[in-house]
């Protein structure tokens, strides 16, 4: 499985960005895709997770109401988008996407780093105040 994260950049507080995570190779074998973020000196923080078919979604309280998922598919890949609105300076981080092959009963269970098997390279989001 290959994951390619993109869409990061510099934005002013209150602005929007849309991140994309393109998943290829064994495309239909993962159960959930998650987004995490990390700032220097801190642990990687869970942002949200979406089931492979887009049916179940879960966002951390810190981003709920501001971030949203969407998903698209073609024969070669699945792309999961993270729409980020009303951005704050505290959203500044490197954002990572990851896929999980684990079969948990609920989407709320996919909230730890060790729940995920494959990771993308990260994309930097900088929110200026």
């Amino acid at each position: 499985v290959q994951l390619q994260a993109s869409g990061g950049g510099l934005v002013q507080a209150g602005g929007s960005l849309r991140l994309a995570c393109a998943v290829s190779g064994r495309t239909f074998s993962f159960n959930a895709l998650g987004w995490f973020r990390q700032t220097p000196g801190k642990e990687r923080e869970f942002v949200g997770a979406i089931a492979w078919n887009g049916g179940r979604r879960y966002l951390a309280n810190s981003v709920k109401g501001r971030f949203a998922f969407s998903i698209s598919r073609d024969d070669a890949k699945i792309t999961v988008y993270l729409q980020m609105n009303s951005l704050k300076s505290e959203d500044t981080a490197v954002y990572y996407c990851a896929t999980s092959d684990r079969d948990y009963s609920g989407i709320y269970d996919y909230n730890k780093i060790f729940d995920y098997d494959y990771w993308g390279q990260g994309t930097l989001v900088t929110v200026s105040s």
Side-chain angles (χ1 to χ4, degrees):
V1 178
Q2 294 81 45
L3 287 79
Q4 180 72 40
S6 60
L10 174 63
V11 64
Q12 288 188 336
S16 299
L17 279 176
R18 189 176 76 159
L19 305 184
C21 180
V23 184
S24 58
R26 294 176 58 222
T27 305
F28 300 102
S29 70
F30 69 87
N31 287 318
L33 184 143
W35 283 96
F36 290 75
R37 63 188 182 186
Q38 189 170 25
T39 54
K42 293 189 176 182
E43 292 186 356
R44 199 165 290 189
E45 175 192 17
F46 173 76
V47 175
I50 184 170
W52 72 274
N53 62 1
R56 297 173 293 160
R57 307 168 186 213
Y58 170 41
L59 289 166
N61 288 336
S62 58
V63 302
K64 196 175 296 182
R66 299 188 298 122
F67 291 11
F69 286 111
S70 60
I71 192 166
S72 68
R73 296 178 185 83
D74 60 32
D75 290 342
K77 65 181 183 297
I78 292 176
T79 303
V80 174
Y81 299 96
L82 183 67
Q83 178 68 43
M84 306 188 298
N85 300 324
S86 303
L87 283 162
K88 306 175 182 179
S89 57
E90 51 263 44
D91 295 318
T92 294
V94 177
Y95 283 71
Y96 297 90
C97 60
T99 58
S100 174
D101 291 340
R102 295 141 207 273
D103 188 14
Y104 294 152
S105 59
I107 194 64
Y108 301 98
D109 296 320
Y110 294 93
N111 61 4
K112 299 291 190 297
I113 294 172
F114 57 75
D115 293 325
Y116 293 84
D117 304 291
Y118 301 95
W119 291 81
Q121 83 287 4
T123 184
L124 176 62
V125 172
T126 304
V127 183
S128 63
S129 57

